[in-house]
């Protein structure tokens, strides 16, 4: 019943659907029975004449035993089913690939430890907001937040797990390409993934990522070899919480390896440039708090600030240069600009990335 509304794209999905339908059925039935009885009693025991007195009934042991025992049995059954499925989402001891998930206001970052080793990449491959998964391979997401509590949620996988600051949380599942996605025609696909021009500007990561792979890397994706599902943050985590979206792209083995190799190529030859800085600005979440057109968002705009003076909350006046920007990125609480909230989370950008951001800010005259 559940699949009418939403695809099932993991091996655990049918089990989750089953419990969901079972719970809906039981509660639906209970609702009908109690309300039918209620209506029946209202009619049967209505007051028939002035001054009629109701007979007094204190207790009925038979009924009490029935309504305690039956729900207890039902709950015990649900508990056993739930425990079984929960254990599968944990799947301790099974073979799996590891992907580190790092969440922050308002973006997701993925590090492919197992896959980087597999394709012999000396750097661990990383992606922002887009998670590439291989079909039919169990994956274990090891998740941590850099700031507040987030929640990793992909409805089609039936997977939802909180991402917290002080501890690692994890979840394991086997992603699949759902039947609906396999059988979609070009045209249906276009409609399915359609988003508005405004959305394209703010949340390009939810466009059809299979189409993007074809365009960007020229990867051959025959029908049914790729599906992209939306990743949501299911924990209210601040102002732009609703934009904390991503895509989980499930690929067949061959296509998956092709993508990993492209990433390896791309990430192996990154050089410092304003263009790369712009990409980071868009994918690393800076965009939600900093504008590049002069408007004040949460933090200061980056337009035309290079080389100008900035007043800090401790009264000092500093020049916006390489040192100031580097400190602002790595240790944001150390030098806080006056007139702005001290809320910027530390960003773990590497040297190349910080340099590129600096080049980018310089370029915004
Ligand atoms: C949650 C909102 C938020 C995000 C996300 C964010 N910043 Fe900030 N940032 C701020 C605020 C607020 C300030 C001003 C207060 C301060 O100096 O800490 C600031 C200040 C800065 C400054 C100093 C600018 C100036 O003119 O004084 C730099 C540089 C900067 N951020 C870089 C970045 C980069 C790079 C990223 C992305 C990798 C980023 N920020 C992401 C909120 C954010
Ligand atoms: Cu969030």
């Amino acid at each position: 019943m559940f699949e009418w509304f939403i695809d099932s794209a993991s091996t655990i999905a049918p089990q989750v659907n089953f419990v969901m339908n079972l719970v809906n059925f039981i509660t639906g039935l209970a609702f009908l029975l109690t309300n039918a009885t209620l209506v029946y009693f209202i009619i049967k025991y209505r007051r028939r004449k002035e001054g009629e007195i109701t007979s007094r009934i204190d207790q009925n042991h038979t009924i009490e035993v029935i309504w305690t025992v039956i729900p207890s049995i039902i709950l015990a059954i649900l508990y056993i089913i739930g425990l079984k499925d929960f254990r599968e989402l944990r799947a301790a001891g099974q073979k799996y690939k590891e992907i580190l998930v790092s969440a922050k206001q308002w973006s997701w970052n993925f590090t492919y430890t197992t896959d980087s080793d597999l394709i012999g990449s000396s750097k661990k491959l990383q992606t922002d907001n887009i998670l590439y998964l291989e079909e039919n391979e169990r994956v274990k997401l090891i998740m941590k937040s850099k700031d507040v509590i987030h929640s990793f949620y992909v409805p089609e996988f039936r997977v939802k797990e909180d991402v917290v600051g002080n501890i690692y949380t994890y979840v394991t599942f086997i992603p699949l390409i759902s039947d609906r996605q396999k059988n979609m025609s070009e045209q249906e696909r276009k409609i399915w993934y359609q988003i508005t021009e405004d959305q394209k500007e703010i949340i390009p990561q939810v466009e059809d990522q299979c189409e993007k792979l074809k365009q960007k890397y020229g990867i051959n994706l025959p029908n049914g070899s790729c599906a992209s599902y939306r990743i949501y943050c299911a924990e209210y985590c601040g102002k732009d919480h609703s934009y904390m979206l991503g895509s989980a792209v499930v690929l067949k083995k061959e296509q998956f390896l092709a993508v990993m190799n492209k990433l390896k190529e791309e990430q192996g030859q990154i050089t410092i440039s304003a263009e790369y800085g712009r990409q980071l600005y868009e994918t690393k979440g800076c965009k939600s708090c900093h504008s590049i057109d002069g408007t004040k968002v949460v933090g200061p705009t980056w337009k035309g600030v290079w080389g100008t003076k900035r007043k800090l909350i401790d009264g000092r006046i500093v020049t916006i240069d390489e040192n100031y920007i580097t400190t602002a990125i790595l240790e944001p609480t150390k030098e806080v600009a006056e007139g702005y909230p001290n809320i910027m989370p530390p960003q773990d950008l590497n040297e190349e990335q910080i340099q590129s951001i600096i080049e980018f800010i310089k370029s915004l005259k």
Side-chain angles (χ1 to χ4, degrees):
M1 190 214 280
F2 217 46
E3 306 88 82
W4 294 348
F5 305 110
I6 190 163
D7 292 17
S8 295
S10 74
T11 52
I12 188 94
Q15 276 142 272
V16 178
N17 295 349
F18 171 74
V19 207
M20 189 71 198
N21 290 338
L22 185 65
V23 170
N24 282 341
F25 177 75
I26 295 170
T27 47
L29 194 68
F31 175 81
L32 284 179
L33 285 179
T34 44
N35 280 280
T37 319
L38 179 73
V39 171
Y40 172 71
F41 283 176
I42 287 174
I43 296 165
K44 172 143 199 229
Y45 298 111
R46 69 186 185 280
R47 195 166 74 161
R48 286 164 208 266
K49 56 177 191 291
E50 248 344 274
E52 188 179 282
I53 296 171
T54 345
S55 58
R56 188 181 162 88
I57 303 170
D58 281 340
Q59 256 177 337
N60 185 326
H61 285 292
T62 322
I63 289 183
E64 280 169 20
V65 168
I66 291 175
W67 77 41
T68 308
V69 171
I70 293 182
S72 300
I73 293 173
I74 293 174
L75 288 179
I77 293 172
L78 288 178
Y79 171 76
I80 292 166
I81 302 175
L83 184 67
K84 194 179 123 277
D85 295 351
F86 177 73
R87 280 175 58 93
E88 184 158 346
L89 283 164
R90 298 278 140 169
Q94 294 203 34
K95 224 180 107 234
Y96 50 73
K97 292 188 187 195
E98 275 182 9
I99 296 178
L100 306 180
V101 179
S102 168
K104 63 168 196 196
Q105 287 168 317
W106 289 283
S107 64
W108 301 97
N109 176 268
F110 305 101
T111 308
Y112 304 80
T113 58
T114 316
D115 296 312
S116 307
D117 295 346
L118 239 149
I119 59 162
S121 172
S122 53
K123 270 194 202 169
K124 296 284 175 228
L125 299 177
Q126 291 203 12
T127 53
D128 289 306
N129 296 319
I130 301 187
L131 170 63
Y132 295 107
L133 297 168
E134 185 178 338
E135 195 192 25
N136 261 322
E137 282 285 330
R138 183 175 287 280
V139 61
K140 178 176 183 181
L141 302 181
I142 302 166
M143 311 195 279
K144 202 166 178 180
S145 163
K146 290 223 169 74
D147 38 50
V148 297
I149 301 177
H150 303 276
S151 183
F152 179 90
Y153 180 35
V154 180
E156 285 85 352
F157 295 161
R158 310 289 190 274
V159 159
K160 182 169 168 194
E161 187 70 39
D162 274 11
V163 186
V164 190
N166 280 327
I167 49 164
Y168 287 96
T169 53
Y170 59 92
V171 64
T172 84
F173 58 94
I174 302 176
L176 298 174
I177 297 171
S178 53
D179 292 339
R180 193 203 307 253
Q181 293 281 335
K182 271 188 190 140
N183 302 326
M184 250 185 211
S185 70
E186 273 311 281
Q187 194 54 32
E188 284 168 329
R189 244 195 126 77
K190 278 220 176 76
I191 298 168
W192 186 262
Y193 286 104
Q194 205 166 37
I195 61 175
T196 65
E197 287 302 315
D198 288 0
Q199 289 172 324
K200 257 183 211 164
E201 180 66 25
I202 314 166
I203 38 169
Q205 67 268 27
V206 300
E207 280 180 75
D208 183 355
Q209 292 303 322
C210 301
E211 198 50 45
K212 278 267 166 89
L213 283 176
K214 280 188 212 162
Q215 287 166 9
K216 191 168 170 201
Y217 298 128
I219 290 175
N220 180 28
L221 294 172
N223 252 358
S225 62
C226 177
S228 112
Y229 304 105
R230 246 180 225 194
I231 301 171
Y232 296 85
C233 173
E235 182 78 52
Y236 178 69
C237 61
K239 179 179 141 282
D240 280 348
H241 159 72
S242 57
Y243 292 139
M244 191 166 164
L245 299 168
S247 282
V249 187
V250 186
L251 294 144
K252 290 235 179 282
K253 189 176 194 73
E254 191 191 326
Q255 281 76 17
F256 177 80
L257 288 175
V259 172
M260 285 292 127
N261 277 308
K262 287 286 179 193
L263 290 178
K264 177 179 162 189
E265 225 172 79
E266 196 179 69
Q267 295 180 11
Q269 51 177 243
I270 280 172
T271 47
I272 297 160
S273 71
E275 190 39 47
Y276 181 43
R278 174 188 289 276
Q279 269 177 36
L280 293 169
Y281 167 74
E282 279 166 7
T283 56
K284 291 281 180 191
C286 323
K287 195 175 170 180
S288 33
C289 297
H290 296 284
S291 82
I292 50 173
D293 62 1
T295 48
K296 180 174 167 178
V297 199
V298 181
T301 182
W302 288 354
K303 188 186 161 110
V305 294
W306 177 257
T308 61
K309 301 277 181 210
R310 168 73 70 217
K311 187 154 187 237
L312 306 181
I313 48 168
D314 58 12
R316 280 185 299 143
I317 292 173
V318 295
T319 307
I320 300 185
D321 59 6
E322 288 89 347
N323 284 321
Y324 174 70
I325 292 176
T326 309
T327 312
I329 293 172
L330 298 176
E331 299 166 275
T333 49
K334 216 166 150 189
E335 296 181 326
V336 180
E338 196 187 65
Y340 294 94
N342 184 9
I343 56 152
M344 177 167 151
Q347 311 287 324
D348 63 343
L349 304 185
N350 62 30
E351 201 49 44
E352 271 167 354
Q353 294 173 322
I354 294 175
Q355 289 298 331
S356 300
I357 294 270
I358 292 173
E359 287 307 314
F360 177 52
I361 294 179
K362 271 188 199 167
S363 75
L364 299 166
K365 296 272 156 46

